Amino acid sequence: MQIKYANYVISNTDVNKCPHHNLPEYAFIGRSNVGKSSLINMLTNRKDLAKTSSKPGKTLLINHFIINNEWYLVDLPGYGYAQAGKTQREKLRKMIESYALLRQELTCMFVLIDSRIEPQQIDLDFMQFLGENEIPFAMIFTKADKLSNEKLNNNIEAYNQKMLEQWEELPQQFITSSTTRKGAEEVLNYIESINKEMTI
Ligand code: GTP
Ligand code: MG
């Protein structure tokens, strides 16, 4: 898919205030600092569409972007940032969970996982929560440029072993790097294929 048009629409703290529309909507979620906003900029080929930072806790709102006038993309705050303080963490957790549960427009969630580290309970729990609530999701392993191919493959293999303790089948997965653009085409083609199915 070619990105001809990518524009910021609005930011909200409350899922009930998010814009209503009849288009497919894809949201990016994961632990704080995993690379959600960077991935959105990479996919859309816009350097500063979504705000990024080397410090965790940058995105604190539900941010809507419209792409090609055909679908919406949503940048969500990260979960589980330890230094954020309990009240802030709880507020973000509620924002993310209510978005996932209540957002009727939501077509698919992309759960971002840092490819460099071992499976984190918070990510496994979040995917479990999505599964229990029948919310469609795919996994994206991020920051693939930061490790060798061998290490990358080993980590993903180990991750999938862990997943299979909980899941009968693995979800759709992508391996990406926002610096090398690895995986961009695959993610965009996946979105395009779902969009096409929805218009049939
Ligand atoms: P929050 O909004 O705080 O939840 O974080 P986020 O998940 O949106 O992360 P963000 O995109 O702001 O990126 C966090 C840091 O990781 C930044 O310093 C990015 O430059 C870096 N980063 C993100 N993706 C990649 C990647 O694919 N490769 C490398 N090398 N760095 C990355
Ligand atoms: Mg962010």
Side-chain angles (χ1 to χ4, degrees):
M1 169 176 15
Q2 263 215 301
I3 306 292
K4 288 169 261 169
Y5 173 90
N7 244 15
Y8 166 74
V9 179
I10 198 164
S11 301
N12 285 286
T13 50
D14 183 349
V15 62
N16 295 309
K17 295 194 180 136
C18 290
H20 290 294
H21 56 75
N22 298 319
L23 298 172
E25 179 164 310
Y26 300 86
F28 292 75
I29 188 63
R31 286 189 314 128
S32 193
N33 211 45
V34 68
K36 301 174 290 296
S37 303
S38 305
L39 186 78
I40 288 169
N41 291 337
M42 185 271 264
L43 291 174
T44 54
N45 258 320
R46 306 288 191 277
K47 228 173 102 216
D48 294 313
L49 187 65
K51 302 272 185 310
T52 67
S53 168
S54 57
K55 296 196 199 94
K58 178 67 178 174
T59 311
L60 297 172
L61 300 166
I62 303 168
N63 301 290
H64 274 78
F65 302 90
I66 182 143
I67 315 296
N68 292 351
N69 281 330
E70 285 170 356
W71 54 282
Y72 278 81
L73 189 159
V74 177
D75 190 14
L76 291 170
Y79 51 69
Y81 174 39
Q83 258 88 54
K86 206 173 165 206
T87 319
Q88 168 81 341
R89 242 190 354 262
E90 197 51 20
K91 196 172 109 187
L92 292 181
R93 189 184 65 79
K94 281 194 185 136
M95 201 193 293
I96 294 162
E97 285 189 10
S98 52
Y99 173 85
L101 292 171
L102 302 176
R103 184 69 178 159
Q104 303 221 328
E105 284 83 350
L106 178 62
T107 305
C108 178
M109 257 205 181
F110 289 103
V111 179
L112 275 61
I113 305 283
D114 190 328
S115 64
R116 298 170 300 173
I117 57 175
E118 62 197 33
Q120 303 288 302
Q121 196 58 44
I122 196 164
D123 293 320
L124 296 166
D125 289 348
F126 189 76
M127 289 187 276
Q128 186 70 28
F129 157 80
L130 293 177
E132 280 164 6
N133 290 286
E134 296 179 9
I135 299 162
F137 72 94
M139 291 169 73
I140 295 185
F141 292 99
T142 64
K143 308 193 184 184
D145 58 284
K146 290 207 169 191
L147 67 188
S148 69
N149 268 340
E150 191 188 355
K151 184 84 181 120
L152 179 65
N153 290 336
N154 288 344
N155 284 4
I156 291 171
E157 175 62 27
Y159 208 104
N160 286 339
Q161 287 303 325
K162 185 84 186 164
M163 286 288 286
L164 289 168
E165 291 173 15
Q166 250 171 305
W167 295 83
E168 272 177 38
E169 248 180 90
L170 293 172
Q172 179 77 40
Q173 296 181 340
F174 301 93
I175 302 167
T176 65
S177 162
S178 295
T179 44
T180 67
R181 295 193 51 80
K182 181 183 173 74
E185 224 173 295
E186 288 83 353
V187 175
L188 289 172
N189 286 345
Y190 181 67
I191 291 173
E192 188 174 36
S193 70
I194 300 177
N195 287 350
K196 277 194 180 139
E197 265 175 45
M198 289 181 71
T199 52
I200 290 170

